[in-house]
Coordinates of all heavy atoms in Angstrom, one line a residue:
V1 N 186.3 24.6 -2.7 CA 185.4 23.7 -3.4 C 185.7 22.2 -3.1 O 184.8 21.4 -2.9 CB 185.6 23.9 -4.9 CG1 184.9 22.8 -5.7 CG2 185.0 25.3 -5.3
L2 N 187.0 21.9 -3.0 CA 187.4 20.5 -2.6 C 186.9 20.2 -1.2 O 186.4 19.1 -1.0 CB 188.9 20.4 -2.7 CG 189.5 19.1 -2.2 CD1 189.0 18.0 -3.1 CD2 191.1 19.1 -2.2
I3 N 187.1 21.1 -0.2 CA 186.6 20.8 1.1 C 185.1 20.7 1.1 O 184.6 19.8 1.8 CB 187.1 22.0 2.1 CG1 188.6 22.0 2.2 CG2 186.4 21.8 3.4 CD1 189.1 23.2 2.9
A4 N 184.4 21.5 0.4 CA 182.9 21.4 0.4 C 182.5 20.1 -0.2 O 181.5 19.4 0.3 CB 182.3 22.6 -0.4
I5 N 183.1 19.6 -1.3 CA 182.8 18.3 -1.9 C 183.0 17.2 -0.9 O 182.1 16.3 -0.7 CB 183.5 18.1 -3.2 CG1 183.1 19.1 -4.3 CG2 183.4 16.7 -3.6 CD1 183.9 19.0 -5.5
L6 N 184.1 17.2 -0.2 CA 184.5 16.1 0.7 C 183.6 16.2 2.0 O 183.4 15.2 2.6 CB 185.9 16.1 1.0 CG 186.9 15.9 -0.2 CD1 188.3 15.9 0.3 CD2 186.6 14.6 -0.8
F7 N 183.2 17.4 2.3 CA 182.3 17.5 3.5 C 180.9 17.0 3.3 O 180.3 16.3 4.1 CB 182.3 19.0 4.0 CG 181.5 19.2 5.2 CD1 182.0 18.9 6.5 CD2 180.2 19.7 5.2 CE1 181.3 19.1 7.6 CE2 179.5 19.9 6.3 CZ 180.0 19.6 7.5
V8 N 180.4 17.4 2.1 CA 179.0 17.0 1.8 C 179.0 15.5 1.2 O 178.1 14.8 1.5 CB 178.4 17.9 0.7 CG1 177.0 17.5 0.3 CG2 178.4 19.3 1.3
M9 N 180.0 15.1 0.5 CA 180.1 13.8 -0.1 C 181.4 13.2 0.2 O 182.3 13.2 -0.6 CB 179.9 13.9 -1.7 CG 178.6 14.5 -2.1 SD 178.5 15.0 -3.8 CE 179.3 16.6 -3.8
P10 N 181.5 12.6 1.4 CA 182.8 12.1 1.8 C 183.4 11.0 1.0 O 184.6 10.8 0.8 CB 182.5 11.5 3.3 CG 181.3 12.2 3.7 CD 180.5 12.5 2.4
R11 N 182.5 10.2 0.3 CA 182.9 9.1 -0.5 C 183.2 9.6 -2.0 O 183.7 8.8 -2.8 CB 181.9 8.0 -0.6 CG 181.7 7.3 0.8 CD 180.5 6.4 0.8 NE 180.5 5.5 -0.4 CZ 179.5 5.0 -1.0 NH1 178.2 5.4 -0.6 NH2 179.6 4.2 -2.0
G12 N 182.9 10.8 -2.3 CA 183.1 11.3 -3.6 C 181.8 11.6 -4.3 O 180.8 11.1 -3.9
I13 N 181.9 12.3 -5.5 CA 180.7 12.6 -6.2 C 180.0 11.5 -6.9 O 178.8 11.3 -6.8 CB 181.1 13.7 -7.3 CG1 181.7 14.9 -6.6 CG2 179.9 14.1 -8.1 CD1 182.2 16.0 -7.6
A14 N 180.8 10.6 -7.5 CA 180.2 9.4 -8.2 C 179.4 8.5 -7.3 O 178.2 8.2 -7.6 CB 181.2 8.7 -9.0
P15 N 180.0 8.1 -6.2 CA 179.2 7.2 -5.2 C 177.9 8.0 -4.7 O 176.9 7.3 -4.5 CB 180.2 6.9 -4.1 CG 181.5 7.0 -4.8 CD 181.4 8.2 -5.7
Y16 N 178.1 9.3 -4.4 CA 176.9 10.0 -3.9 C 175.8 10.1 -5.0 O 174.6 9.9 -4.6 CB 177.4 11.5 -3.6 CG 176.3 12.4 -3.2 CD1 175.8 12.4 -1.8 CD2 175.6 13.2 -4.1 CE1 174.8 13.2 -1.4 CE2 174.6 14.0 -3.7 CZ 174.2 14.0 -2.4 OH 173.1 14.9 -2.0
L17 N 176.2 10.3 -6.2 CA 175.1 10.3 -7.3 C 174.5 8.9 -7.4 O 173.3 8.8 -7.6 CB 175.7 10.7 -8.6 CG 176.2 12.2 -8.7 CD1 176.9 12.5 -10.0 CD2 175.0 13.1 -8.5
D18 N 175.3 7.9 -7.3 CA 174.8 6.5 -7.4 C 173.8 6.2 -6.3 O 172.7 5.7 -6.5 CB 176.0 5.5 -7.4 CG 175.6 4.2 -8.0 OD1 174.5 4.1 -8.6 OD2 176.4 3.2 -7.8
D19 N 174.1 6.6 -5.1 CA 173.2 6.4 -3.9 C 172.0 7.3 -4.1 O 170.9 6.8 -3.8 CB 173.9 6.8 -2.6 CG 175.1 5.8 -2.3 OD1 175.1 4.7 -2.9 OD2 175.9 6.2 -1.5
W20 N 172.1 8.5 -4.6 CA 171.0 9.4 -4.7 C 170.0 8.8 -5.8 O 168.8 8.8 -5.5 CB 171.4 10.8 -5.1 CG 170.4 11.8 -5.2 CD1 169.8 12.4 -4.1 CD2 169.7 12.3 -6.3 NE1 168.8 13.3 -4.5 CE2 168.7 13.2 -5.9 CE3 169.8 12.0 -7.7 CZ2 167.9 13.9 -6.7 CZ3 168.9 12.7 -8.5 CH2 168.0 13.6 -8.1
F21 N 170.5 8.4 -6.9 CA 169.6 7.8 -7.9 C 169.0 6.5 -7.5 O 167.8 6.2 -7.8 CB 170.4 7.7 -9.2 CG 170.6 8.9 -10.0 CD1 171.9 9.4 -10.2 CD2 169.5 9.7 -10.5 CE1 172.1 10.6 -10.9 CE2 169.7 10.8 -11.2 CZ 171.0 11.3 -11.4
A22 N 169.8 5.7 -6.7 CA 169.2 4.4 -6.2 C 168.1 4.7 -5.2 O 167.1 4.0 -5.2 CB 170.3 3.6 -5.6
G23 N 168.3 5.7 -4.4 CA 167.2 6.1 -3.4 C 166.0 6.6 -4.1 O 164.9 6.3 -3.7
R24 N 166.1 7.4 -5.2 CA 165.0 7.9 -5.9 C 164.2 6.7 -6.6 O 163.0 6.6 -6.6 CB 165.5 8.8 -7.0 CG 166.1 10.1 -6.5 CD 165.1 11.2 -6.4 NE 164.6 11.5 -7.7 CZ 163.8 12.6 -7.9 NH1 163.5 13.4 -6.9 NH2 163.3 12.8 -9.1
A25 N 165.0 5.7 -7.1 CA 164.4 4.6 -7.8 C 163.6 3.7 -6.7 O 162.5 3.2 -7.0 CB 165.4 3.7 -8.5
A26 N 164.2 3.6 -5.6 CA 163.6 2.8 -4.5 C 162.3 3.5 -4.0 O 161.3 2.8 -3.7 CB 164.5 2.5 -3.3
A27 N 162.4 4.8 -3.9 CA 161.2 5.5 -3.5 C 160.0 5.4 -4.5 O 158.9 5.3 -4.1 CB 161.5 7.0 -3.2
R28 N 160.3 5.4 -5.7 CA 159.3 5.3 -6.8 C 158.7 3.9 -6.8 O 157.5 3.7 -6.9 CB 159.9 5.6 -8.1 CG 160.1 7.1 -8.4 CD 160.3 7.4 -9.9 NE 161.4 6.7 -10.4 CZ 162.7 7.2 -10.5 NH1 162.9 8.4 -10.0 NH2 163.6 6.5 -11.0
S29 N 159.5 2.9 -6.6 CA 159.0 1.5 -6.6 C 158.2 1.2 -5.4 O 157.3 0.3 -5.5 CB 160.2 0.5 -6.7 OG 161.0 0.7 -5.6
S30 N 158.5 1.9 -4.3 CA 157.7 1.6 -3.0 C 156.5 2.5 -2.8 O 155.8 2.3 -1.9 CB 158.6 1.7 -1.8 OG 159.2 3.0 -1.7
A31 N 156.3 3.5 -3.7 CA 155.2 4.4 -3.6 C 153.9 3.6 -3.8 O 153.8 2.8 -4.7 CB 155.3 5.5 -4.6
P32 N 152.9 3.9 -3.0 CA 151.6 3.2 -3.2 C 150.9 3.6 -4.5 O 151.0 4.8 -4.9 CB 150.8 3.7 -2.0 CG 151.4 5.0 -1.5 CD 152.8 4.8 -1.8
V33 N 150.3 2.6 -5.1 CA 149.6 2.9 -6.4 C 148.2 3.1 -6.1 O 147.5 2.3 -5.4 CB 149.8 1.7 -7.3 CG1 149.1 1.9 -8.6 CG2 151.3 1.4 -7.6
A34 N 147.6 4.2 -6.6 CA 146.2 4.6 -6.3 C 145.3 3.6 -7.1 O 145.5 3.4 -8.3 CB 146.0 6.0 -6.8
K35 N 144.3 3.1 -6.4 CA 143.4 2.2 -7.1 C 142.3 2.9 -7.8 O 141.8 3.9 -7.3 CB 142.7 1.3 -6.0 CG 143.7 0.3 -5.3 CD 143.0 -0.6 -4.3 CE 143.9 -1.5 -3.7 NZ 143.2 -2.4 -2.7
P36 N 142.0 2.5 -9.0 CA 140.9 3.2 -9.8 C 139.6 3.1 -9.1 O 139.2 2.0 -8.6 CB 140.9 2.6 -11.2 CG 141.5 1.2 -10.9 CD 142.5 1.4 -9.8
Q37 N 138.8 4.1 -9.0 CA 137.5 4.1 -8.3 C 136.5 3.7 -9.3 O 136.4 4.1 -10.4 CB 137.2 5.5 -7.8 CG 136.0 5.6 -6.9 CD 135.8 7.0 -6.4 OE1 136.2 7.9 -7.0 NE2 135.1 7.1 -5.3
L38 N 135.7 2.7 -8.9 CA 134.6 2.1 -9.7 C 133.5 3.1 -9.9 O 133.2 3.9 -9.0 CB 134.1 0.8 -9.1 CG 135.1 -0.3 -9.0 CD1 134.5 -1.5 -8.4 CD2 135.7 -0.7 -10.4

């Protein structure tokens, strides 16, 4: 388990979660907003 964690998340679980949530937030903010059709 320790090896798997360090292999997938070399910086540790907390920094990985922080980056993951930050990436999700950035993706939502940059997503195009659909214009309402007249």
Side-chain angles (χ1 to χ4, degrees):
V1 171
L2 176 61
I3 292 172
I5 290 175
L6 297 181
F7 182 78
V8 177
M9 298 168 279
R11 294 170 54 210
I13 298 173
Y16 176 84
L17 291 176
D18 202 11
D19 293 342
W20 186 79
F21 283 117
R24 296 264 301 185
R28 286 196 300 267
S29 62
S30 62
V33 179
K35 296 181 179 180
Q37 189 175 25
L38 296 178

